[in-house]
Amino acid sequence: MNKSILSILGAALFAAVLSSCASIPEPSEKDNNLIYGQLEFNFSCIPNNYDIPEKSSEISGIEVKFRNIKTNKIITMTTNSKGEFYRTGIPEGTYIIYSFKKTIKYGAGRYEADYSAVFDKNKTTNFHFSPVEDTVINMGKISLEISIKDIGYYSWRVDWDKDFEKTKRYFSVLHSNSPWLDKEWITRHESLERHLTLFP
């Protein structure tokens, strides 16, 4: 009896490990571009009596939204347990980062709060990229910094365009057999240049 229970638990644990290491979909004729990056959430708060953590750093469960500047279509991704966000087969067009969001729990899990960074939708200097066939657009590592210096209010800052080589190495470690490693890896700036060449 005990042996069979242990076998069931072992099989369930093995399945959980496999699902936590789910692979990125392979490229296909339809889905022949990949957007890939890493995202981290760094939180700081003044000392307080509300059980709000004074410091926190997380990589999973961070929502990132992209917006097509022509169609206004929103594409939403959420970082996995490794801090990765990715999407294959994004339709042609130019996109900007529209927003980031992270929910944190405090007070022994009794409370939660959403912390967001939302960009001006009319801002033309925002983080642009454009999908290109048969490439991986390497977004590098992006950091969302949230700071509370007065309870009830917070400020945010985003740091991006960094660690492109480290991000690709990180991908190659986590997805060593992925066909995407055989594709051309380009930055978001290079994707825009390529897009303008193809669609002047």
Side-chain angles (χ1 to χ4, degrees), residues 73-122:
K73 181 179 179 180
I74 299 291
I75 294 175
T76 304
M77 296 172 235
T78 304
T79 58
N80 61 19
S81 62
K82 305 295 185 182
E84 302 172 290
F85 66 91
Y86 53 83
R87 177 70 63 89
T88 62
I90 291 183
E92 176 193 312
T94 301
Y95 293 80
I96 62 170
I97 285 186
Y98 177 74
S99 66
F100 295 103
K101 186 177 79 171
K102 172 66 179 171
T103 301
I104 65 168
K105 295 183 178 182
Y106 55 95
R110 298 190 308 274
Y111 311 104
E112 64 178 40
D114 292 334
Y115 294 95
S116 302
V118 181
F119 296 90
D120 182 350
K121 68 178 183 179
N122 298 314

Side-chain angles (χ1 to χ4, degrees), residues 32 38 44 103-104 108 161 164 180 184:
N32 58 11
Q38 293 174 265
S44 64
T103 301
I104 65 168
D161 280 342
F164 296 110
W180 292 108
E184 182 183 10

Side-chain angles (χ1 to χ4, degrees), residues 19-159:
S19 65
S20 68
C21 299
S23 61
I24 293 175
E26 293 190 0
S28 65
E29 187 176 334
K30 180 183 176 183
D31 296 336
N32 58 11
N33 62 62
L34 172 69
I35 309 300
Y36 179 84
Q38 293 174 265
L39 184 56
E40 66 180 3
F41 173 84
N42 297 310
F43 178 83
S44 64
C45 182
I46 57 172
N48 62 89
N49 297 318
Y50 301 96
D51 290 328
I52 302 175
E54 292 183 28
K55 282 198 177 296
S56 172
S57 185
E58 301 177 50
I59 58 174
S60 64
I62 309 167
E63 178 190 89
V64 55
K65 290 186 176 182
F66 296 131
R67 181 177 70 84
N68 185 304
I69 63 174
K70 186 175 181 180
T71 66
N72 286 324
K73 181 179 179 180
I74 299 291
I75 294 175
T76 304
M77 296 172 235
T78 304
T79 58
N80 61 19
S81 62
K82 305 295 185 182
E84 302 172 290
F85 66 91
Y86 53 83
R87 177 70 63 89
T88 62
I90 291 183
E92 176 193 312
T94 301
Y95 293 80
I96 62 170
I97 285 186
Y98 177 74
S99 66
F100 295 103
K101 186 177 79 171
K102 172 66 179 171
T103 301
I104 65 168
K105 295 183 178 182
Y106 55 95
R110 298 190 308 274
Y111 311 104
E112 64 178 40
D114 292 334
Y115 294 95
S116 302
V118 181
F119 296 90
D120 182 350
K121 68 178 183 179
N122 298 314
K123 189 174 181 182
T124 58
T125 57
N126 203 350
F127 190 101
H128 287 69
F129 72 93
S130 186
V132 179
E133 290 188 358
D134 293 317
T135 66
V136 177
I137 299 181
N138 183 356
M139 295 291 193
K141 187 171 184 178
I142 302 173
S143 299
L144 170 60
E145 314 282 341
I146 297 289
S147 176
I148 296 180
K149 295 182 179 176
D150 184 9
I151 298 299
Y153 302 91
Y154 66 88
S155 61
W156 58 266
R157 183 176 69 85
V158 175
D159 189 16

